[in-house]
Amino acid sequence: MKELIPLDRIEVPRVRPDARYAARLPGHDASFRGLKRLLGAADASKAGDRKAGLSAPSEAAREAARELLGELTLEHLHDHPLADARGEVDAVMRVNYDIDRGAFARIASLRLGELKDALLRAPSPEVARLGRALTGVMAAALAKLCDVHELIYIARKISRPTRARTLLGAPGTLASRLQPNHPTDDPRGIALLTYWGLSVGAGDALIGVNPAAGTVEATAAILRHLDRIRRATGVPTQICCLSHLKVQLAALDQGAPVEILFQSLAGTEACCVTEFDITVDLIDAGYRRMAARGPLAGQAEQFMYFETGQGSELTYGKHDGIDMATAEALCYGLARRWDPFMVNNVTGFIGPETHLDDREMILANLQDHFMGKLLGVPMGMAPCYTLHAHVTLEGQQMATQLLAAAGASFYMDVCLNTDRMLAYFDTSGHDVQTLRELHGRAPGGEFLAWALDRGILARAAEGQGEGQAPAGAITRGPRFGDVRQFCPDEAELAALVAATPAAHGFATAGPRPASAVSRRARLDQAIARAALESELREDELARVAAFRVLTTMARSKDEHLGSADAGARLSPESAARLAPEGAQVQIVVSDGLSAEAVHHNLPDLLPVLLDGLGARGVTVGQPLLARYGRVKLAEAVAAGLGARLVVMLLGERPGSGELASRSLSAYLAYRLAPGVDQEAAAAFSGNPAIGFEYTVIANIHAGGLPPAEAGVAIVEKVAQVLARRAAGNRLEALLARDAA
């Protein structure tokens, strides 16, 4: 177990006034006030930084910023910590200063450009040692000076093996993080997607599920299901349910097999606390509990799993003036504190408000991998995209090839690239095996022995290997892609397939899906992209309910898709029309990212919801309709109408296929009353200024949670929120306590 140094014992320089950095350019001068501005201007242009006003106004200004940055010494970067909105060093920045002080003393006088040259010349062990002397800010500054070849070349030198039940990240390996997500957490679908992934050699890093329902009960059930599958198949790996850390710890208390503890991280304390509901102290406590009581205690050397990705801080408006790449590097400096088993980067997951197109996504992923490896964390990569961004499967595949050359430890296996619950597109097990064969890599040793024994993989004999692999290299075996080896009963297999969306067939061609299978998957994406063009048809919705119509600050679909906050704010005209009405619950309907989700679900959902709330004696205001809305619009409505709880029915980003492009979610935003309620929420979250708690019911559509059933589920959850005066993780903790 790693010693966790108390925050107040980590030495951090005092915050200094912003320095002025100036450079003379042909025809004009370039000047940047403060290190934050200089770091932002030195980075490649990306949508999020442009929106935040942090990107350079021209290529000449960008190169001037890079020139200035390259001349700064590491000591200068060390002595100018980036302050938060209060002008203080926050907990994330403080943790980043837990560095190897002896190693830093030896390089402090180096200019940043000189450090880059040293890393390009240095042998692998020296690169790893130097990285441990750097803060996240230093790593981010260095990344902004590197071209693509340099980002790949330096990262390739660094190896960071870790061990839980099995070894991850050993030289010469490329692992896979199997993600069998299902829109309703149906154990049959989870089983099929797990079997499918295992059959193509995926899952050696981890088998982990993002739950559709983030409850303690659902988390424990998923973990027990995955544990049964792991034991039945004999696969050497580890399991995880990607609920909130608080929920996982509650499941651990109930005896669930929480082998790997997961949490998403942000690069500012403000975002961690107010949006992710975490503090350094909370993760410290989770780390210690896992070391003492986790199922792999005494066996695993590492047992923490973190996910990160450029842009979350900016999307939530909690970036403290820090550009996306630098905030991401601060995440790695934070993750380093808990010696994680794995870190997975999901840059591209948010959408066009942070990374607009293929180029921005690819470059950001290369930066992230470089920064994470340099700072000493085990980096897996998930170059991914959503359908409302200008990012494509081809761009994603380009990113995976470049990252494989850079030495990424693992990729995701999201079957046929389609996440059936989160409605985004990631790498697949077929991609991982393709990359293994192209780059001469193999799965982890324990998993490799298992897959060879099963005939899933094989060693190429002399004269074989399809022109790609030399003798002894790992290629496919006779049972590659054979799902029936895990489910030989045809009737049972048919039931699993019937319960799984987008199961287009198991046929393969080499390491790839067969043409007929991949064509179906691509067609589904094309169908789903069309849903983004749909608009709300107010005349049709008027037949469902007598809506009051509001407008947001987003004046067009393009502005809505490209803005992190326009859809979360009411227009001045609409805000002026709202006044307290005394109803407990207010329902708001918005298109979000799919107007078709509203049109296909609302006629069956809304009557059930209104009748159910009325039957329970809950007072409900006249439903509201808002075009181009986001989740946080609920807070503006609650404040304007004085409602205790807002039910936001929002069209989600389209998933794959016609049904998944109609996915609706219900966000329950509970407005905390001053006094006991707010104080209890503040104590639970560590956020003294907390004003709302959120619960979400997701994947409402005909292929997920049917809309009429969703109406019943929302009524029940509303009743729980109002009865316990809590929502989100605090509500789940209270429910778990009551059930114990």
Side-chain angles (χ1 to χ4, degrees), residues 533-587:
E533 303 303 319
S534 61
E535 298 279 3
L536 285 177
R537 301 182 290 279
E538 294 179 14
D539 55 337
E540 292 182 20
L541 295 174
R543 296 194 286 270
V544 179
F547 287 102
R548 288 183 290 178
V549 178
L550 302 176
T551 56
T552 71
M553 292 297 291
R555 293 162 295 182
S556 68
K557 185 177 288 289
D558 285 344
E559 186 174 333
H560 171 52
L561 295 179
S563 171
D565 61 356
R569 294 183 289 133
L570 288 168
S571 67
E573 298 80 12
S574 289
R577 289 163 45 203
L578 299 185
E581 296 180 350
Q584 293 170 284
V585 173
Q586 180 62 55
I587 297 170

Side-chain angles (χ1 to χ4, degrees), residues 44-379:
S45 180
K46 301 169 194 163
D49 292 333
R50 292 193 295 272
K51 177 72 176 177
L54 296 171
S55 190
S58 67
E59 283 297 319
R62 182 169 296 110
E63 288 306 320
R66 289 170 174 165
E67 181 74 19
L68 288 165
L69 200 57
E71 290 299 309
L72 295 182
T73 65
L74 294 175
E75 185 173 30
H76 181 92
L77 294 172
H78 175 277
D79 291 347
H80 290 77
L82 306 184
D84 63 13
R86 301 166 299 176
E88 300 174 359
V89 172
D90 73 6
V92 174
M93 185 67 64
R94 183 169 294 277
V95 170
N96 268 261
Y97 275 81
D98 181 12
I99 59 176
D100 183 331
R101 292 286 169 178
F104 178 73
R106 292 191 292 272
I107 62 173
S109 63
L110 287 180
R111 294 182 176 88
L112 196 65
E114 293 173 332
L115 175 64
K116 188 186 86 166
D117 291 345
L119 292 173
L120 288 166
R121 298 186 185 109
S124 295
E126 180 65 13
V127 174
R129 281 194 295 270
L130 290 174
R132 193 62 188 85
L134 304 179
T135 67
V137 172
M138 297 172 194
L142 190 63
K144 298 166 195 288
L145 299 188
C146 293
D147 62 25
V148 167
H149 288 306
E150 291 160 350
L151 291 171
I152 293 171
Y153 185 79
I154 294 172
R156 179 65 177 251
K157 296 185 180 190
I158 305 169
S159 177
R160 180 68 171 91
T162 54
R163 178 174 287 280
R165 176 178 286 112
T166 60
L167 183 66
L168 175 65
T173 64
L174 178 60
S176 169
R177 207 290 259 169
L178 205 165
Q179 181 165 287
N181 290 352
H182 190 278
T184 61
D185 295 336
D186 190 321
R188 297 170 298 176
I190 291 172
L192 178 69
L193 294 171
T194 302
Y195 296 156
W196 200 343
L198 294 176
S199 77
V200 295
D204 49 328
L206 182 90
I207 303 174
V209 171
N210 298 84
T215 64
V216 176
E217 180 184 20
T219 297
I222 288 170
L223 285 167
R224 292 188 176 104
H225 184 49
L226 293 178
D227 188 54
R228 286 191 293 269
I229 293 174
R230 183 187 65 79
R231 294 176 185 276
T233 59
V235 58
T237 189
Q238 31 280 316
I239 62 170
C240 180
C241 183
L242 284 73
S243 302
H244 192 275
L245 183 143
K246 293 178 180 178
V247 173
Q248 293 169 79
L249 292 176
L252 178 65
D253 289 341
Q254 295 183 2
V258 183
E259 295 184 346
I260 302 294
L261 187 63
F262 164 82
Q263 182 54 50
S264 295
L265 298 180
T268 65
E269 184 180 10
C271 193
C272 282
V273 173
T274 63
E275 304 299 338
F276 289 10
D277 191 20
I278 55 171
T279 62
V280 172
D281 287 343
L282 172 68
I283 304 177
D284 280 355
Y287 177 81
R288 293 187 178 106
R289 285 172 68 180
M290 287 293 290
R293 297 172 43 209
L296 300 182
Q299 176 183 357
E301 297 174 16
Q302 290 91 10
F303 41 79
M304 303 294 284
Y305 169 21
F306 299 114
E307 281 195 354
T308 67
Q310 285 191 26
S312 59
E313 303 85 2
L314 182 136
T315 296
Y316 289 117
K318 303 290 170 55
H319 59 96
D320 290 337
I322 300 172
D323 67 273
M324 295 192 299
T326 303
E328 180 68 6
L330 291 170
C331 289
Y332 304 138
L334 178 63
R336 185 168 62 183
R337 175 175 177 84
W338 299 287
D339 188 23
F341 173 62
M342 54 196 291
V343 173
N344 187 40
N345 172 274
V346 292
T347 290
F349 182 82
I350 295 174
E353 67 203 52
T354 61
H355 298 85
L356 182 64
D357 55 24
D358 286 328
R359 177 185 174 278
E360 292 183 15
M361 181 274 293
I362 292 169
L363 184 56
N365 270 270
L366 290 170
Q367 289 179 330
D368 294 348
H369 179 258
F370 166 87
M371 296 185 299
K373 291 280 283 291
L374 185 61
L375 288 169
V377 295
M379 288 298 294

